[in-house]
Amino acid sequence: MPALRFMAALFALVAVLALAADLTPVLMRGEPFAPKSVATQWTELAPKTLESTRQSISSSLSPGIWNTLSGTLLAIPAVLFFTIAAAVTGYAGRRRHRINIYAN
């Protein structure tokens, strides 16, 4: 599926950008490597969308779901999250080889 391969490329691009953002303080100022979580990156880029997402999930589903989501998925490093997302969507969108069982 071309759409999944395109999403895999976008996720891989975001993972590379997140890695570059995490490595910049290490290379420029000599600070120790400390990857930022998805929630931290999201808060730095667009804090209002994070809050609106929290409100919509809490109001439509349950506040406990947001607490679980923010405690697990949003707490992992952004590089790892988007690398895994790229791998999963890339694998799901791979070209499949058709085997012709009636070939002589």
Side-chain angles (χ1 to χ4, degrees), residues 14-15 29-30 72-73 95 99 101:
V14 172
R29 293 179 290 231
T72 55
L73 282 179
R95 289 190 174 102
I99 299 172
I101 60 172

Side-chain angles (χ1 to χ4, degrees), residues 7-8 13 32 37 44 60 62 67 76 89 104:
M7 286 179 55
L13 176 65
S37 68
E44 289 177 359
S60 63
S62 170
N67 294 336
I76 65 173
T89 54
N104 290 331

Side-chain angles (χ1 to χ4, degrees), residues 39-82:
T40 305
Q41 292 275 7
W42 196 354
T43 302
E44 289 177 359
L45 293 175
K48 292 185 187 243
T49 60
L50 178 63
E51 183 59 30
S52 65
T53 303
R54 185 194 63 76
Q55 288 177 354
S56 65
I57 289 177
S58 296
S59 65
S60 63
L61 298 174
S62 170
I65 291 177
W66 176 257
N67 294 336
T68 304
L69 180 71
S70 66
T72 55
L73 282 179
L74 298 181
I76 65 173
V79 175
L80 181 64
F81 177 80
F82 286 109

Side-chain angles (χ1 to χ4, degrees), residues 20-44:
D22 289 341
L23 283 177
T24 300
V26 174
L27 297 175
M28 298 302 284
R29 293 179 290 231
E31 296 177 4
F33 181 69
K36 295 180 183 175
S37 68
V38 175
T40 305
Q41 292 275 7
W42 196 354
T43 302
E44 289 177 359

